[in-house]
Amino acid sequence: MDSTDEAEVLVPALAAVMRRRRSVRNYAAEPIPDTVLDACFDMAILAPTSHNLECWQMIDVRDTHRLAELRRICLDQPAAVAAPHLIVAVARPDLWRRGRTMMLARIEREKSDPTLSEATRKFLPLFEEKYRILIPLIFEDGPLHILAPLKRFLVWCRACFKPVMRGPFGRHEQALWAVKTAALACENLMLALAAHGFDSCPMEGFDEPKLKRLLGLPRAAEIVMVIAAGRRGDDGVIPQIRFGRAHYIARA
Amino acid sequence: MDSTDEAEVLVPALAAVMRRRRSVRNYAAEPIPDTVLDACFDMAILAPTSHNLECWQMIDVRDTHRLAELRRICLDQPAAVAAPHLIVAVARPDLWRRGRTMMLARIEREKSDPTLSEATRKFLPLFEEKYRILIPLIFEDGPLHILAPLKRFLVWCRACFKPVMRGPFGRHEQALWAVKTAALACENLMLALAAHGFDSCPMEGFDEPKLKRLLGLPRAAEIVMVIAAGRRGDDGVIPQIRFGRAHYIARA
């Protein structure tokens, strides 16, 4: 198929999935089969991930007691109470070291792959340098992010002469950076659920410190959203309100 | 079609789109037709938006001089230099007031709609109360976010007794909140481009203060990413590296 033929199939299908995805507030009791959930997670993993550092995770809460407590932490909102599944999406900027180690190991392995294309082979040393040198320069902030202000100052000095990348340095910027990647994966997950005929609701109404304690998450973790998931129940959908392209898109 | 038949079409199509979406570093000169770009933006708008406050925007930079300057601000990285289009995705927590006004106007209009379902009609007063009272309580921080610490303290007191929603209060939390919504829309945009047979690259390597100045964005705005877009060029794709489900998904 050439790309026009392909688009004729893919565009309406993607539009149907995106229209089918709605924030659903009521669910049937029917659980989502594990095979479907796993397939949806596998689609979440295909979202872009910043610097390939994989600083996000999703926690599929299954334990009955923990699930009951999670519903309470989600303020007993209708979607949290009714949905058979609650999936906690977490940004984990602190996992950058793990990501770096995994990437360096992978690059090492790729180097000895005889089937590698010439273009990729050319790219590998640059890539390796990025993970050896650039990534720690950005993300290594020392204990309590004590080096972040210094790094910000040095970069600010350099920026007087030419455009430079500004970080992310420090706790806040790195949280924001990891939240971005996690959110991209969340969107893939919700679309995947919609394609499979299931539904979801991205929730932000929760008590974050209590939720982090419940799941034993470290201080650096940032809960991105709790995704309620299951099969749409009666009166689960309210009309979607959007305001037309001009409210969101500008030309400059 | 019942939902199983539908899934048989939608799941493979969505998987094909998600696999087709790759971070492409080289582009052909061919621009994306405006009709296609607009259709992709319309799909971006379908992503979930927190509290329906629509605190994000995308700026499609078209002016030749501005585009040249934007490429420089993106550190002349290959994707930025080669792509015919650069779209700047911006989180705009400061637009919460606009979103609130638009929502209240819409609710007012809905109220007088005779075709409204009973379920939705029941929901409207609650919805209205949310935008009249709860939203300003959360987002109104006073000048320089001076009220944020006070609100944090009050909410912390309440949280000693029961789970409560913790914000977002203050500049950092509100930036983080708006970035989330903007990122969801970015993922939809990149998937939509992929479905249409076009390509994209989400870039974070840019000089944010310079970019905000170039586009005349206010201090509260947060650049989420610059999305390079166009038709895939030679050697534009390096192999995608992912680490298997167990690295991302946990059961608890």
Side-chain angles (χ1 to χ4, degrees):
Chain A
M1 275 203 295
D2 85 356
S3 80
T4 319
D5 293 343
E6 223 178 13
E8 266 171 37
V9 177
L10 297 183
V11 172
L14 183 64
V17 172
M18 285 183 179
R19 280 175 209 292
R20 211 203 157 283
R21 188 220 57 81
R22 296 296 312 284
S23 296
V24 168
R25 265 85 178 181
N26 190 30
Y27 291 86
E30 174 198 352
I32 304 174
D34 275 351
T35 49
V36 171
L37 257 184
D38 282 347
C40 293
F41 286 135
D42 286 343
M43 281 159 110
I45 293 166
L46 293 176
T49 149
S50 184
H51 295 305
N52 249 92
L53 288 174
E54 322 291 339
C55 286
W56 63 276
Q57 63 178 157
M58 288 182 186
I59 302 169
D60 176 8
V61 178
R62 291 293 182 97
D63 178 81
T64 327
H65 295 291
R66 209 172 277 137
L67 206 48
E69 184 56 20
L70 178 51
R71 294 199 165 102
R72 223 174 61 85
I73 288 173
C74 290
L75 318 180
D76 289 320
Q77 59 183 290
V81 173
H85 302 272
L86 294 178
I87 296 152
V88 184
V90 192
R92 291 292 303 271
D94 55 314
L95 291 183
W96 73 267
R97 277 191 195 81
R98 179 190 76 161
R100 173 177 180 254
T101 308
M102 293 197 305
M103 283 304 290
L104 283 171
R106 178 67 72 100
I107 291 166
E108 208 47 55
R109 213 164 64 215
E110 296 280 327
K111 272 185 188 165
S112 53
D113 178 358
T115 67
L116 211 63
S117 79
E118 210 37 58
T120 310
R121 192 176 302 283
K122 230 174 50 193
F123 194 71
L124 275 182
L126 254 166
F127 216 47
E128 191 173 0
E129 205 183 274
K130 169 175 173 164
Y131 289 95
R132 277 212 194 289
I133 298 164
L134 182 67
I135 292 295
L137 272 180
I138 297 175
F139 289 95
E140 186 57 83
D141 279 348
L144 298 170
H145 296 280
I146 204 169
L147 297 176
L150 175 69
K151 291 200 286 180
R152 252 180 234 124
F153 174 71
L154 291 175
V155 162
W156 179 87
C157 293
R158 254 190 106 190
C160 296
F161 304 100
K162 60 175 202 153
V164 283
M165 204 174 153
R166 302 294 186 117
F169 305 136
R171 189 170 136 68
H172 281 300
E173 290 178 19
Q174 289 179 6
L176 203 143
W177 164 81
V179 159
K180 234 180 270 186
T181 288
L184 297 174
C186 288
E187 182 63 3
N188 268 23
L189 179 72
M190 292 186 281
L191 292 175
L193 285 165
H196 277 95
F198 288 95
D199 291 282
S200 61
C201 185
M203 299 183 290
E204 291 181 311
F206 52 79
D207 192 314
E208 195 185 15
K210 289 192 179 66
L211 182 42
K212 282 166 73 169
R213 224 173 301 138
L214 178 74
L215 299 177
L217 289 167
R219 194 166 169 273
E222 190 80 43
I223 313 273
V224 179
M225 57 181 77
V226 180
I227 299 176
R231 179 87 71 188
R232 195 173 292 205
D234 298 337
D235 292 334
V237 195
I238 57 166
Q240 188 176 46
I241 297 177
R242 292 293 185 274
F243 295 95
R245 204 190 297 145
H247 281 95
Y248 308 87
I249 313 298
R251 297 244 146 98
Chain B
M1 276 203 293
D2 84 357
S3 79
T4 320
D5 293 341
E6 223 178 14
E8 267 171 36
V9 178
L10 297 183
V11 171
L14 182 65
V17 172
M18 286 183 179
R19 279 175 211 292
R20 211 200 158 285
R21 187 220 59 78
R22 297 295 312 285
S23 296
V24 168
R25 265 88 177 178
N26 189 29
Y27 291 86
E30 174 198 352
I32 304 175
D34 276 349
T35 49
V36 171
L37 257 184
D38 283 346
C40 293
F41 286 135
D42 286 343
M43 281 158 112
I45 293 167
L46 294 176
T49 148
S50 186
H51 296 304
N52 249 93
L53 287 175
E54 322 291 340
C55 287
W56 63 276
Q57 62 178 155
M58 287 181 187
I59 302 168
D60 176 8
V61 178
R62 291 293 181 97
D63 178 81
T64 327
H65 295 290
R66 210 171 277 136
L67 206 48
E69 184 56 21
L70 179 51
R71 293 200 166 100
R72 221 174 62 86
I73 289 173
C74 290
L75 318 179
D76 288 319
Q77 59 184 290
V81 172
H85 302 271
L86 295 178
I87 297 153
V88 184
V90 192
R92 290 291 304 269
D94 55 315
L95 291 183
W96 73 267
R97 277 191 194 82
R98 180 190 75 161
R100 174 177 179 254
T101 308
M102 293 197 305
M103 283 304 289
L104 282 171
R106 178 68 71 102
I107 292 165
E108 208 49 53
R109 213 165 62 216
E110 296 280 325
K111 272 186 188 164
S112 53
D113 178 359
T115 66
L116 211 64
S117 80
E118 210 37 57
T120 310
R121 191 176 302 281
K122 231 172 52 194
F123 193 72
L124 276 183
L126 255 165
F127 215 49
E128 190 173 359
E129 206 183 273
K130 170 176 171 164
Y131 289 96
R132 277 213 193 289
I133 299 163
L134 183 66
I135 292 296
L137 273 180
I138 297 174
F139 290 95
E140 186 55 83
D141 279 350
L144 298 171
H145 296 280
I146 203 169
L147 296 176
L150 175 68
K151 292 200 285 180
R152 254 182 231 121
F153 175 70
L154 292 175
V155 161
W156 179 85
C157 292
R158 255 190 105 188
C160 296
F161 304 99
K162 60 174 204 158
V164 284
M165 204 174 154
R166 302 293 185 117
F169 305 136
R171 189 170 136 70
H172 281 301
E173 290 178 18
Q174 290 179 5
L176 203 143
W177 163 82
V179 160
K180 236 181 267 187
T181 288
L184 298 174
C186 289
E187 182 63 3
N188 268 22
L189 178 72
M190 291 186 283
L191 292 175
L193 285 164
H196 277 96
F198 288 96
D199 291 282
S200 60
C201 185
M203 299 183 290
E204 292 181 311
F206 52 80
D207 193 315
E208 196 185 14
K210 288 192 180 66
L211 182 42
K212 281 167 72 169
R213 221 172 304 137
L214 177 73
L215 299 177
L217 289 166
R219 194 167 167 270
E222 189 82 43
I223 313 273
V224 179
M225 57 182 76
V226 180
I227 299 176
R231 179 88 70 189
R232 193 173 293 203
D234 297 336
D235 292 333
V237 194
I238 56 166
Q240 188 176 46
I241 297 177
R242 292 294 184 273
F243 294 95
R245 204 190 298 146
H247 280 95
Y248 309 88
I249 313 298
R251 296 244 146 97

